[in-house]
Amino acid sequence: MLALRLSRGARPAVQLRRLLVAAASAGTGFLLLCALGHALTHPDTPAASALRLAWCAAPLAATVHFAVAVARADPGTRPRAGLSAIGLGPARLMAVSATTTALSTLLGSMLALLFFLHLRGDLTGMPFDGDAADVLAADQPLPLPGALTLLSLVPVIASVSVGVVLRPREPRRADGPRVFGRFGTYGRAGSRETFGAYGRFGARSDGPRPNRAKWDSQGPDGPRQPVDPAVEPVGRTGRTASVTHPVPAPGQALAGAPFEADAPEADPRTPAPRPTALPWGIATLAAGLTVEAYSRRTSAPDGLPLPGGLTGNSAGALLGWALTAVGLALAGPGLTHLCGRLVQSVRPGALRLLSGRVLMDEATRIGRPLGVVCAVASAAYAMGSLYDPNGDSIGPLTTLGTLLVAGCALATLLTAAVEAKHSRADTTAALLRLGAPATTLRMAAALRAGALLALFGPLTLIVAELAAQPLTV
């Protein structure tokens, strides 16, 4: 019920993103149902039906990736101060996000089922003069358990992925050891604590107790005030010695040393950690290109047909391309961070410095969707090189799957850009209050976009050319 109320009260932009998730879920569910229809129509070729079902993995992964990005960018389920007091802590907000994602994807799956039944003629008669009867198995009864199982894949995987990505994490300090609360509240402490270690009068057992002798008596003018004598008589000779006493901070107990957790410390915004997956991405990319180059030496095909009217069916080449796509996705954050460093190198001005620091700070958030877009672009280039105009034409299901993957990749990148813009809204407002012109901020955004295009554009073309060559053999 709470997820429904938050969904109804969201902004129009948030509602539009959720509708796009529902549309992507509907397209993926329709492809899964079409694979089921092919299996019903061709029971003597289970391998071909299983291959059609396997090709649905790419739209399924793209839809889940987009759903996770939309859930992360939702401002209504973002942890804020004061929500824990009414029972909306991080874990509850994570559950609300997962429930909202499940509702959006479930709506898309139901729309896919209704459209599939409409095309089969189960609702209002056979449309399009029965041209799609062979693909949809219109002459056979639809197994409802199998259809519901396929339609539940997108909601279940998407909601579980959102829960894993948005799960509450214990904050850690990057510059020091792990910090625990009292009695190891947030984890297991290094040394064993006995009962009463913090018990009596706030005394601690791991250090000397401070001197609490110098306190004024309670007077009619107010509470006790600490006395901080810098010079105190010592002995009978009247000589003085410098004695330093700790002065408790306001609000601390008078009877003991303060707890570390009682006085909240300032928590300045730490810079984003540097991406560390760049070597792994480069290694995976090199491995994929190596597998593709090695597959060119085999002249006999492996018997793995491609969807649509595409030629070339080397399974080794397709495996190498898959590794190449994973390598681009892994290397995206590191390349974005490197792009930010290059922008602000060699005596940068205010514009280049601002653009480079923003790219470095948002490398993890923007880099991975950007790497996925590069992988999809290289795949589109490879599919264009494999297309034979004299052969079979690309079918509607192949076109739908291609549009789903490309559209979800672009929508995920735009959603990540919107999330990054909202995350630095306070910094932008501070710059405007300090007198920075809005033109400078727009020029910085254009400089960031141009720098990313200058780095990822040639890289995508090079990888696409290298990946397409083995597939054309």
Side-chain angles (χ1 to χ4, degrees), residues 152-329:
S152 64
L153 289 179
V154 178
V156 170
I157 297 177
S159 57
V160 170
S161 301
V162 169
V164 171
V165 172
L166 300 183
R167 70 186 185 276
R169 292 180 176 87
E170 178 184 346
R172 296 185 180 183
R173 294 183 179 179
D175 56 347
R178 199 173 184 182
V179 179
F180 301 97
R182 301 176 186 174
F183 295 98
T185 303
Y186 300 102
R188 186 182 299 275
S191 59
R192 185 177 180 182
E193 296 172 344
T194 58
F195 180 78
Y198 291 90
R200 301 176 180 176
F201 304 103
R204 298 186 59 173
S205 61
D206 57 350
R209 300 179 62 180
N211 191 349
R212 303 186 305 273
K214 300 298 181 180
W215 285 84
D216 289 339
S217 60
Q218 178 72 25
D221 295 334
R224 297 178 179 179
Q225 301 295 331
V227 178
D228 186 16
V231 178
E232 182 179 28
V234 178
R236 299 180 179 178
T237 60
R239 292 180 299 176
T240 59
S242 177
V243 180
T244 304
H245 298 282
V247 180
Q252 294 175 352
L254 301 179
F259 293 118
E260 286 82 353
D262 290 338
E265 300 178 355
D267 188 13
R269 186 174 182 270
T270 58
R274 182 179 179 180
T276 58
L278 181 59
W280 295 101
I282 294 176
T284 307
L285 179 62
L289 294 177
T290 303
V291 171
E292 292 181 10
Y294 181 77
S295 65
R296 294 184 60 182
R297 301 176 59 181
T298 59
S299 57
D302 295 339
L304 185 60
L306 299 177
L310 304 180
T311 60
N313 51 0
S314 176
L318 294 179
L319 177 61
W321 177 83
L323 291 177
T324 302
V326 174
L328 283 175

Side-chain angles (χ1 to χ4, degrees), residues 38-199:
H38 184 273
L40 294 176
T41 309
H42 304 82
D44 53 342
T45 57
S49 302
L51 185 60
R52 281 177 173 262
L53 185 62
W55 281 116
C56 296
L60 177 61
T63 303
V64 171
H65 191 209
F66 179 45
V68 171
V70 170
R72 290 187 57 179
D74 191 355
T77 56
R78 193 170 299 168
R80 291 185 297 271
L83 292 182
S84 298
I86 59 175
L88 292 178
R92 183 71 179 277
L93 290 178
M94 179 268 295
V96 169
S97 299
T99 305
T100 304
T101 303
L103 290 176
S104 300
T105 52
L106 187 61
L107 174 62
S109 298
M110 293 298 102
L111 291 177
L113 179 60
L114 290 178
F115 187 66
F116 185 77
L117 293 178
H118 172 69
L119 292 181
R120 278 171 50 92
D122 297 338
L123 299 180
T124 58
M126 180 67 66
F128 304 114
D129 297 331
D131 293 338
D134 184 41
V135 180
L136 306 178
D139 55 344
Q140 297 186 13
L142 182 67
L144 188 60
L148 294 180
T149 301
L150 291 177
L151 289 176
S152 64
L153 289 179
V154 178
V156 170
I157 297 177
S159 57
V160 170
S161 301
V162 169
V164 171
V165 172
L166 300 183
R167 70 186 185 276
R169 292 180 176 87
E170 178 184 346
R172 296 185 180 183
R173 294 183 179 179
D175 56 347
R178 199 173 184 182
V179 179
F180 301 97
R182 301 176 186 174
F183 295 98
T185 303
Y186 300 102
R188 186 182 299 275
S191 59
R192 185 177 180 182
E193 296 172 344
T194 58
F195 180 78
Y198 291 90

